[in-house]
Amino acid sequence: MGLLSGKVAIVTGASRGIGEATARVFALEGASVVLAARSAAEIDRVAAEINSAGGAAVAVAADLTDQASAEHMVASAVERFGRLDVAFNNAGSGHMPHPLGEISASEFDYTIRANLLTVFLSMRAELAAMLAGGGGAILNMSSTAGLQGAPGMSAYAAAKHGVIGLTKAAALDYGRLNIRVNAIAPGPIVKDAIPEAARERIARAVPMGKLGTGDEVAHAAAWLCSDQASFVSGAVLSVDGGRLAGVPS
């Protein structure tokens, strides 16, 4: 029996990175998974690989900055699997580092829409389905940039701080209705685009001396969404190798 056996889960931004890793871990933990992202080809690939490995996955192409698209994603999950128990709102995007005064209004707007509006619209649709089904667990993707400042990343930090605000408010709104809402805040995570020299420099600022992996975030996400975390709501879990604890010696 896996952590999520018998659950129906949505994972947004599931075409790559942490979202793809989490979709795979959720399936391994027994969930039926609906994968959502803008890239139909990529989520089709991930869903096919999960199904080939014995899991249950469906891909739904969705632009989650659009309310109708978010509602279609949730309706597809309910139509295919009968209900919705878990949602991991992971979809988002960063921006190139610039001091605040050099970030354009359009870049700021894009970053807020990609990282905060997507979570808001997804949650609205997910909450309706979970209320109809008697409860559930929602996990929102924030960042350590949502818990402290990030030089050159003011728009991204603002959006990720906003995700935490949405999370805490929703936890208060829906706690008595059997819906838990939490956030996860990854620190430095290995990405193919990060050169090896940069990885070594970043790792020196992490107490554990290394970057994290998508799988490490995914397993933490699975626990937060499982019944083992049944009394955890309104929380923000940092998965950052201890970076927010202080400066390593």
Side-chain angles (χ1 to χ4, degrees):
M1 295 290 289
L3 282 174
L4 300 173
S5 289
K7 305 284 190 184
V8 176
I10 285 174
V11 178
T12 72
S15 61
R16 57 189 172 85
I18 291 171
E20 177 180 351
T22 302
R24 295 180 186 278
V25 167
F26 279 16
L28 285 171
E29 293 290 354
S32 300
V33 187
V34 175
L35 287 66
R38 287 177 295 182
S39 173
E42 286 301 301
I43 52 172
D44 284 345
R45 171 188 62 81
V46 178
E49 291 173 0
I50 290 173
N51 288 325
S52 294
V58 173
V60 178
D63 175 3
L64 297 173
T65 63
D66 175 72
Q67 180 175 335
S69 191
E71 291 172 351
H72 170 70
M73 170 186 72
V74 173
S76 298
V78 174
E79 179 180 351
R80 175 64 178 84
F81 296 114
R83 66 184 190 281
L84 178 64
D85 304 301
V86 168
F88 178 35
N89 296 316
N90 162 74
S93 179
H95 59 80
M96 294 300 294
H98 299 292
L100 187 148
E102 298 175 18
I103 296 174
S104 67
S106 61
E107 189 173 25
F108 183 85
D109 180 68
Y110 168 79
T111 304
I112 295 297
R113 289 176 60 83
N115 294 282
L116 184 56
L117 180 65
T118 54
V119 173
F120 170 73
L121 293 177
S122 296
M123 286 177 70
R124 288 185 79 242
E126 292 155 2
L127 285 163
M130 290 179 180
L131 287 170
I138 293 175
L139 181 62
N140 296 323
M141 174 59 83
S142 184
S143 165
T144 51
L147 292 165
Q148 64 176 20
M153 299 296 290
S154 56
Y156 183 76
K160 293 304 188 180
H161 274 76
V163 168
I164 291 174
L166 280 181
T167 297
K168 290 180 178 293
L172 296 173
D173 288 342
Y174 293 96
R176 292 184 183 274
L177 296 170
N178 197 34
I179 297 176
R180 298 186 298 109
V181 188
N182 292 295
I184 195 164
I189 302 298
V190 174
K191 297 181 177 67
D192 292 339
I194 302 176
E196 188 61 36
R199 294 185 190 186
E200 293 175 1
R201 174 179 56 79
I202 295 168
R204 287 196 291 271
V206 178
M208 291 184 69
K210 69 183 186 72
L211 276 67
T213 68
D215 279 350
E216 287 173 316
V217 179
H219 285 289
W223 178 79
L224 276 171
C225 291
S226 77
D227 291 342
Q228 289 192 7
S230 59
F231 200 51
V232 180
S233 193
V236 184
L237 176 64
S238 299
V239 184
D240 67 348
R243 193 170 70 87
L244 290 185
V247 179
S249 59

